[in-house]
């Protein structure tokens, strides 16, 4: 690799020959060191905090724009139509046109609204979500902040979203806004528990609350081919499924987008928002989706780890964003496929199904660790299947029991068939 | 000052977030973040809903403060600020040496080991009390069977109330 | 008993098939790319009326005789006609002003049905976006006049019947038999009735 090496500036003042692998892998860090090196001593500590923050916001700001276009395009394709394809090459600059439209729109505030809270709500919605992006490790050395309690930080700042939803709904002086806010809060509180429970399983197995260490705990390969990601274990697989279901609800994504529910309560707590305030809510929602997707990638899908040893030549942040893209595509696909739930179904699903299974999954993870000492031939497969059965069978049976007690089942349409 | 109770609740939330910030600055990261989750995420919402569900409107606005209460308020605020100032001024090491840059007083792991080891009885009893409170709340919220002679109007409502029961559990349990 | 999640998976397969299929096979598309690509309008579609003229001159060739029947019949009253006058102040069989406000017109085709001279017909052009929503949507005589050729393109079958009828009329008028026919067969000389 060093044969085709190129001259690179490694940090401030250090020039040496590096290979392309190292260049791409370390490039962002060198760039930061180089930029910081220009500054006077007093400004360095500020710059070292600001540069990652600006980088994260810029990358995710762009990703937000692209994700809105991608969402509309994929939803269109799912409905057999092309989606936006006018602005820019294949319509990929549509977000710029949308942004200009949002910026130039009139900012309408209802006369009887509580102006201060009405103004603050979008900010309170967006700022914590942007903060939670800080603790996700994007690459081998690319993390804006690595506090010892990274995961706890993620959930702690995320809890401000409930307050923001309430502020928006209450200050608008609109019954639909308040209904939407109540739905949003009920949903966020209910689904935070399964979310935290499935994340807790990972914390227990990795033995750390730091997201960087959780990713490092997933390095290596079984038999050199299967990555040691948590999703490759039964509890990790179940955890990922639980986490994704809860994450869709926590980020108000379909099929759990009741707080918006445009067919029932207009726009939920965003009803009385227009122009750029609405855009900020929108942005907060997408940032929330990116944050939980990034967290799912970090906790279960190995973070920035490559799926195969030979593929480690590609930069680690490339792998992270590839996985993040897959997660976002999954969210879009789900939105294009599943219809919206009813409020009581939503809460029943969260409290009576996801929560017990999340607790059970914790138990399964303990059993998985306990069975790690088995050493007879085929022990791995037996351990895997036993743990899978431990979570899978109760999931099926409990689901059937709940359905039967409610009299739910596949719907039969008497006249339509 | 603030005449709406909801504003007061939101200001209280803000001050709780500020307390969490103080904890984090003092190096107690875990405690600060737990404070955020519990107070900002759950208790604030509980209070706000309690206000919203209060039927009597006259409870929801506070009478305008008189001059005397202004003076008292400012005096108390000054006293608290003075105490804080004195406390901060005479505490060594908060300004950078032993604060966020230094190691925490207690690692999260040690905290967990203490809670699960030495203080396990207190921890479990607290958990038990909270669980009992949770179950009690659920029972209170359950639609109970009306006696025969009473009109059957209330008894036929269970299905409609379900979602809200679940939310109330959330408020108490989170 | 059904397998858990089978319905979900069927749904995901269906949408996934649409997702991939719409890239592979554009025939799946349920929409058209409008300005570039237009669906052919059915022959009987109608939008707003236009005035037919014969010959080359849109002013002199107008079939309209400003009888004002359409103006009176128009339910939303979007037609405004002022007959032309000759030098002695007598009304000519020609409109001086013929305006249709297409922001009011409801495309009912009653003007076409009542016109005895086959001079007003329904157009199929639907792109009427204008910068000015008042003046721009008030069509004057010059905007409304279309050659008979245009009518023939829009409605070939109907236009043939109308043309034959008008030709017979003209023939009768020129041979001077018209009065005699009128006298002998009252009612049969009724013109119009394009179909």
């Amino acid at each position: 690799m060093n044969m085709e090496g190129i001259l690179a500036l490694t940090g401030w003042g250090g020039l040496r020959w590096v290979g392309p692998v190292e260049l791409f892998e370390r490039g962002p860090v060198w760039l930061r060191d180089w930029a910081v090196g220009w500054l006077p001593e007093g400004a360095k500590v500020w710059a070292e905090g600001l540069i990652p923050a600006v980088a994260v916001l810029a990358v995710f700001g762009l990703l937000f724009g692209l994700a809105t276009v991608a969402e509309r395009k994929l939803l269109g394709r799912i409905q057999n139509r092309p989606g936006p394809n006018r602005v820019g090459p294949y319509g990929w600059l549509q977000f710029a046109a949308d942004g200009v439209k949002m910026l130039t729109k009139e900012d309408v505030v209802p006369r009887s609204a509580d102006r201060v809270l009405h103004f603050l709500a979008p900010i309170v919605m967006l700022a914590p979500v942007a903060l939670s992006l800080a603790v996700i490790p994007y690459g081998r050395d690319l993390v804006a902040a690595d506090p010892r309690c990274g995961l706890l930080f993620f959930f702690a700042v995320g809890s401000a979203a409930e307050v923001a939803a309430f502020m928006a709904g209450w200050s608008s002086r609109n019954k639909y806004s308040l209904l939407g806010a109540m739905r949003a809060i009920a949903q966020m509180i209910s689904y935070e528990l399964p979310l935290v429970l499935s994340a807790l399983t990972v914390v227990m197995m990795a033995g750390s609350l730091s997201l960087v260490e959780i990713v490092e705990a997933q390095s290596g390969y079984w038999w050199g081919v299967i990555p040691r990601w948590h999703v490759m274990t039964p509890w990790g697989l179940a955890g990922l499924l639980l986490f994704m279901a809860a994450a869709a609800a926590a980020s108000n994504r379909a099929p759990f987008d009741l707080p918006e529910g445009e067919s029932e309560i207009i726009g939920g707590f965003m009803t009385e928002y227009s122009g750029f305030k609405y855009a900020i809510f929108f942005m907060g929602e997408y940032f929330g989706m990116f944050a939980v997707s990034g967290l799912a990638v970090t906790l279960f899908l190995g973070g920035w780890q490559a799926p195969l040893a030979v593929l480690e030549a590609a930069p680690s942040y490339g792998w992270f964003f590839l996985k993040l893209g897959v997660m976002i595509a999954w969210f879009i696909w789900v939105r294009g496929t599943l219809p919206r739930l009813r409020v009581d179904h939503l809460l029943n699903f969260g409290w009576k199904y996801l929560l017990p299974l999340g607790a059970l999954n914790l138990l399964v993870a303990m059993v998985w660790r306990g069975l790690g000492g088995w050493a007879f031939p085929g022990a791995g497969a037996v351990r895997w299947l036993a743990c899978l059965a431990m979570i899978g069978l109760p999931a099926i049976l409990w689901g059937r029991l709940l359905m039967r007690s409610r009299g739910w089942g596949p719907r039969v349409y008497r006249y339509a068939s | 000052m603030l005449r709406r109770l909801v504003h007061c609740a939101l200001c209280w939330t803000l001050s709780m977030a500020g307390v969490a910030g103080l904890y984090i600055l003092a190096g107690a990261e875990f405690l600060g973040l737990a404070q955020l989750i519990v107070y900002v995420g759950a208790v604030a919402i509980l209070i706000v809903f309690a206000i919203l569900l209060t039927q009597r409107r006259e409870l929801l606005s506070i009478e305008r403060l008189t001059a005397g209460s202004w003076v008292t308020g400012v005096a108390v605020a000054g006293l608290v600020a003075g105490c804080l100032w004195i406390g901060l001024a005479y505490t060594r090491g908060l300004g950078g040496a032993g604060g966020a840059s230094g190691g925490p007083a207690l690692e999260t792991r040690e905290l967990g080991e203490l809670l699960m080891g030495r203080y396990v009885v207190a921890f479990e009893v607290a958990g038990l009390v909270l669980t009992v409170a949770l179950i009690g709340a659920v029972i209170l919220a359950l639609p109970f069977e009306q006696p025969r002679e009473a009109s059957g109007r209330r008894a036929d409502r269970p299905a409609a109330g379900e979602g809200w029961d679940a939310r109330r559990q959330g408020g108490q349990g989170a | 008993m059904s397998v858990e999640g089978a319905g979900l998976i069927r749904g995901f397969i269906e949408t996934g098939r649409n997702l991939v299929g719409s890239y592979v096979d554009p025939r799946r598309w349920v929409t058209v790319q409008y300005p570039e690509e237009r669906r052919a309008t059915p022959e009987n579609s109608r939008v707003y009326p236009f005035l037919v003229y014969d010959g080359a001159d849109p002013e002199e060739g107008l079939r309209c005789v400003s009888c004002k029947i359409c103006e009176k019949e128009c339910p939303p009253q979007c037609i405004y006609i002022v007959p032309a006058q000759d030098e002695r102040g007598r009304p000519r069989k020609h409109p001086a002003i013929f305006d249709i406000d297409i922001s009011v017109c409801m495309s009912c085709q009653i003007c076409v049905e009542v016109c005895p001279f086959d001079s007003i017909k329904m157009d199929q052009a639907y792109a009427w976006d204008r910068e000015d929503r008042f003046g721009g949507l008030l069509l004057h005589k010059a905007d409304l006049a279309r050659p008979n050729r245009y009518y023939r393109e829009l409605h070939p079958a109907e236009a043939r019947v109308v043309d034959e009828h008008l030709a017979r009329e003209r023939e009768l008028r020129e041979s001077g038999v018209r009065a005699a026919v009128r006298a002998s067969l009252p009612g049969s000389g009724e013109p119009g009735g394009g179909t």
Side-chain angles (χ1 to χ4, degrees):
Chain A
M1 282 294 187
N2 270 336
M3 298 278 287
E4 54 211 357
I6 50 166
L7 201 60
L9 210 56
T10 60
W12 178 241
L15 274 173
R16 62 186 177 88
W17 291 91
V18 292
V21 173
E22 199 187 350
L23 175 73
F24 281 113
E25 186 61 53
R26 304 278 312 161
V29 179
W30 290 338
L31 209 62
R32 185 201 63 190
D33 291 345
W34 176 79
V36 168
W38 284 100
L39 296 166
E41 207 51 48
K44 273 184 182 170
V45 60
W46 290 96
E48 275 182 357
L50 266 179
I51 288 175
V54 170
V56 165
L57 284 181
V59 167
F60 278 94
L62 186 67
L63 197 63
F64 161 62
L66 293 178
T68 54
V69 182
E71 169 141 34
R72 291 174 59 190
K73 283 178 98 69
L74 290 185
L75 284 182
R77 292 291 173 168
I78 282 171
Q79 295 156 10
N80 278 330
R81 55 189 174 80
N85 58 359
R86 297 283 149 167
V87 190
Y90 294 98
W92 282 104
L93 290 179
Q94 182 69 41
F95 67 89
D98 287 348
V100 171
K101 187 199 83 171
M102 287 287 193
L103 270 172
T104 51
K105 268 179 115 169
E106 186 187 356
D107 177 27
V108 183
V109 182
R111 194 189 299 162
S112 60
D114 189 318
R115 288 182 160 269
V116 179
L117 286 185
H118 194 265
F119 174 78
L120 280 177
I123 301 168
V124 178
M125 182 64 104
L126 180 64
V129 177
L131 272 180
S132 66
L133 290 172
V135 292
I136 294 173
Y138 300 106
R140 194 162 273 125
D141 300 301
L142 292 181
V143 58
D146 180 24
R148 284 178 299 273
C149 307
L151 191 71
L152 197 66
F153 177 85
F154 186 96
F155 288 119
V157 294
S159 63
E162 291 152 23
V163 180
F166 172 78
M167 282 164 71
W170 185 79
S171 68
S172 293
R173 278 306 168 82
N174 179 323
K175 56 186 160 192
Y176 297 110
S177 295
L178 196 57
L179 277 176
M182 286 181 137
R183 280 186 179 189
I185 292 165
Q187 177 175 325
M188 284 182 202
I189 287 181
S190 311
Y191 279 80
E192 211 167 74
L193 285 178
L195 197 70
V196 172
L197 263 181
S198 52
L200 206 61
T201 317
V202 176
V203 172
M204 198 178 75
M205 298 306 280
S208 173
L209 275 168
S210 157
L211 292 174
V212 174
E213 284 173 29
I214 288 174
V215 173
E216 274 157 11
Q218 301 179 62
S219 60
Y221 303 89
W222 279 302
W223 310 300
V225 281
I226 301 175
R228 299 178 77 100
W229 300 349
H230 288 144
V231 72
M232 297 296 172
T233 60
W235 59 267
L237 185 64
L240 179 66
L241 295 176
L242 288 172
F243 188 90
M244 289 308 282
S251 56
N252 290 348
R253 290 283 307 184
F256 305 109
D257 54 350
L258 288 120
E260 275 176 68
E262 51 282 88
S263 57
E264 307 138 30
I265 49 171
I266 309 174
F269 55 85
M270 297 188 272
T271 303
E272 295 290 0
Y273 282 90
S274 55
F276 209 62
K277 284 185 198 161
Y278 178 78
I280 287 180
F281 266 124
F282 205 60
M283 197 166 176
E285 207 162 278
Y286 271 84
F287 272 28
M289 181 175 75
F290 298 152
V292 288
S293 301
L295 193 64
V297 168
T298 304
L299 293 180
F300 298 103
L301 296 176
W304 43 261
Q305 313 267 7
L308 278 175
V310 288
L311 294 173
E312 275 171 11
S316 56
Y317 49 88
W319 285 115
F320 179 86
F321 280 102
L322 185 70
K323 293 173 189 173
L324 188 68
V326 170
M327 293 312 250
I328 294 169
W330 167 248
F331 272 123
I332 296 172
W333 192 7
V334 168
R335 183 175 167 192
T337 305
L338 301 179
R340 187 180 295 144
L341 266 70
R342 218 170 68 193
V343 178
D344 58 330
H345 291 177
L346 176 101
L347 292 172
N348 275 326
F349 182 63
W351 284 99
K352 296 184 182 166
Y353 194 71
L354 287 187
L355 188 62
L357 283 185
L360 182 67
N361 199 30
L362 209 61
L363 203 68
V364 171
M366 276 189 251
V367 171
W368 172 263
R369 172 161 280 185
L371 297 185
W374 282 2
F376 57 88
V382 171
R383 178 192 181 204
W384 213 96
L385 289 175
C387 285
L388 186 69
M390 223 182 123
I391 183 75
L393 285 180
I396 291 173
L397 293 178
W398 184 234
R400 288 199 173 168
L401 194 72
L402 281 182
M403 298 254 282
R404 191 173 302 158
S405 70
R406 295 259 144 193
W408 290 339
R411 286 189 197 173
V412 181
Y413 297 97
R414 204 185 308 166
Y415 301 110
S417 56
Chain B
M1 296 243 288
L2 296 172
R3 298 189 59 207
R4 285 190 173 281
L5 220 46
V6 170
H7 286 172
C8 300
L10 289 173
C11 281
W12 176 84
T13 311
L14 190 66
S15 68
M16 283 297 126
V19 171
L22 283 182
Y23 284 150
I24 291 171
L25 278 182
E29 228 174 46
F30 188 87
L31 183 61
L33 294 172
Q35 165 97 3
L36 263 186
I37 290 185
V38 171
Y39 283 92
V40 176
V43 178
I45 295 300
L46 192 71
I47 289 176
V48 153
F49 268 100
I51 293 171
L52 285 191
L53 294 176
T54 305
Q55 292 288 325
R56 292 172 60 190
R57 292 195 70 84
E58 67 268 20
L59 291 179
L60 293 182
S61 65
I62 303 162
E63 290 304 311
R64 190 170 288 280
L65 297 177
T66 57
S69 53
W70 265 99
V71 171
T72 323
V74 170
V76 168
L79 211 62
V80 171
C83 287
L84 277 177
W85 177 255
I86 291 166
L88 287 175
Y90 288 90
T91 307
R92 264 182 224 160
L94 199 66
S101 52
L106 213 55
E107 281 281 356
T108 312
R109 183 180 296 275
E110 295 164 22
L111 199 67
E113 274 161 7
L114 277 180
L115 278 179
M116 277 294 146
R118 192 166 162 198
Y119 301 108
V120 65
V121 175
F123 184 71
E124 290 298 325
V125 165
L128 198 67
V129 169
L130 285 176
T131 314
V132 167
L134 178 69
I135 294 170
V138 172
I139 289 172
L140 280 180
L142 274 182
F144 53 91
E145 289 289 319
Q146 290 284 75
R148 277 268 167 84
E149 56 272 20
S151 70
R153 280 194 66 194
R154 211 177 268 181
D156 57 21
R157 288 177 52 202
E162 268 181 339
W164 295 106
D165 295 352
R167 182 192 52 70
R168 233 174 277 174
Q169 287 167 30
Q172 302 258 340
Chain C
M1 253 200 145
S2 63
V3 184
E4 260 70 18
L8 280 183
I9 290 168
R10 263 206 305 279
F12 278 109
I13 288 174
E14 184 65 33
T15 50
R17 197 187 283 151
N18 280 352
L19 175 64
V20 178
S22 60
Y23 278 103
V24 178
D25 179 15
R27 276 176 303 175
R28 296 179 75 106
W29 290 8
V30 293
T31 53
V32 292
Q33 300 293 297
Y34 168 62
E36 292 93 35
E37 195 183 317
R38 297 173 188 219
R39 285 204 178 112
T41 47
E43 192 185 326
N44 282 341
S45 70
R46 58 178 192 240
V47 184
Y48 299 125
F50 68 94
L51 296 176
V52 190
Y53 68 85
D54 295 310
D57 183 11
E59 178 62 31
E60 282 308 308
L62 272 186
R63 288 180 187 170
C64 177
V65 297
S66 78
C67 65
K68 291 198 181 186
I69 293 177
C70 53
E71 188 186 23
K72 289 192 188 78
E73 293 284 345
C74 179
Q77 302 187 354
C78 67
I79 303 179
Y80 175 69
I81 303 172
V82 174
Q85 294 180 335
D86 62 10
E87 54 279 5
R88 285 196 286 168
R90 292 183 306 189
R92 281 176 57 205
K93 287 186 173 178
H94 191 79
I97 298 175
F98 196 115
D99 289 348
I100 294 179
D101 188 346
I102 61 167
S103 66
V104 177
C105 174
M106 62 184 205
S107 310
C108 63
Q109 207 183 358
I110 286 178
C111 50
V112 177
E113 307 294 342
V114 300
C115 181
F117 304 100
D118 285 306
S119 71
I120 189 165
K121 295 292 174 193
M122 293 307 279
D123 203 348
Q124 289 176 351
Y126 47 80
W128 283 105
D129 44 330
R130 293 292 180 271
E131 297 276 320
D132 173 13
R133 69 193 165 108
F134 301 110
L137 294 177
L138 182 65
L139 303 184
H140 303 296
K141 194 167 58 173
D143 311 317
L144 291 165
R146 298 272 186 286
N148 194 22
R149 164 164 44 86
Y150 180 77
Y151 177 47
R152 279 192 203 125
E153 276 167 26
L154 291 188
H155 303 285
E158 205 181 289
R160 203 177 320 115
V161 177
V162 170
D163 282 348
E164 278 169 16
H165 175 79
L166 288 176
R168 201 167 58 242
E169 284 261 300
R170 201 176 309 120
E171 209 175 285
L172 287 174
R173 203 184 312 133
E174 279 162 12
S175 61
V177 191
R178 194 179 173 204
V181 172
R182 254 226 179 129
S184 60
L185 296 165
S188 76
E190 192 183 356
T195 50

